[in-house]
Amino acid sequence: MKPMLHDPEGAKRTLDGLGLGGRELVFVASPAWKGVVEAIGQCLAKVGLGCRFVSDRGDLPDEFDVKLEWYFDWTPQYPVACVHREFFGKDATLRQGPEDPRFDALYDKLLHTPETGTEGVVREVERYLQDEAKALFLYSPFTLFAVSDRVAFTPYDTCMSELAETRIKD
C-alpha cells in the first residue's frame, strides 16, 4: 500500500468540487480529548472544513461525523484481530456505525485461513480499511513509558510496559 499524500490544497479542491466545502464536522469525544479535537479542527480548517466538539458525557447528538475513542492494542503484531474487529466487526464493542458485511466477510475469511496464509488476508483487510477510511488511528506518544537505568527492566514484544520481571538495581 502507498501512504496517502498530505495535500491540503488538493483536498480542499476535491471537497469544494463535491459540494462539501465549508461543512462543519461534529466530533464526539471525552472532555479529556477536547484539545485533540481542537488540533484536528485546525488541520480541517486548512481544507475548508469546520469542527465542533461535543462531549460524550451525557446525551449524544442524533447525528455526528466522528467519534473519537482512546484504545490501546495488546497485540501490535496482529491489529486486524484485536483493533479493527473492535471498531468494525459485527459484534464490536466500539463500533458506532452500521454493520459492514464486507469487513465481516474479510474477517471471517481470516479466521478460516491457516496460519501460514494469513499475511495475504491481513493485507487485504488493511487495504479495505484504508480504501474505506472508516477510522483514523492517531499515535499517542504521551502514553509511552521510560525506565530509569537504575531499574532492571525486561521489555516485551507488546505495546505495554508491563512490570513483569522488573526490579530496582542494587
Side-chain angles (χ1 to χ4, degrees), residues 4-103:
M4 293 181 186
L5 297 176
H6 180 75
D7 181 8
E9 288 302 316
K12 185 174 183 349
R13 283 191 304 275
T14 300
L15 290 168
D16 288 344
L18 294 171
L20 298 173
R23 184 168 174 238
E24 179 182 66
L25 301 179
V26 177
F27 279 71
V28 173
S30 161
W33 291 96
K34 186 174 182 184
V36 173
V37 173
E38 289 170 353
I40 292 170
Q42 290 173 1
C43 293
L44 291 174
K46 294 175 183 176
V47 299
L49 296 174
C51 178
R52 181 166 52 98
F53 168 81
V54 175
S55 172
D56 65 359
R57 306 297 190 258
D59 293 331
L60 294 181
D62 290 335
E63 292 188 25
F64 56 87
D65 298 291
V66 176
K67 177 80 166 42
L68 190 61
E69 291 282 351
W70 182 86
Y71 187 77
F72 66 92
D73 177 16
W74 285 92
T75 58
Q77 309 89 335
Y78 201 46
V80 172
C82 297
V83 176
H84 301 328
R85 194 213 58 81
E86 282 300 314
F87 282 95
F88 311 118
K90 62 184 169 191
D91 59 348
T93 58
L94 298 173
R95 183 172 49 79
Q96 294 291 315
E99 285 188 27
D100 181 346
R102 287 177 58 202
F103 174 83

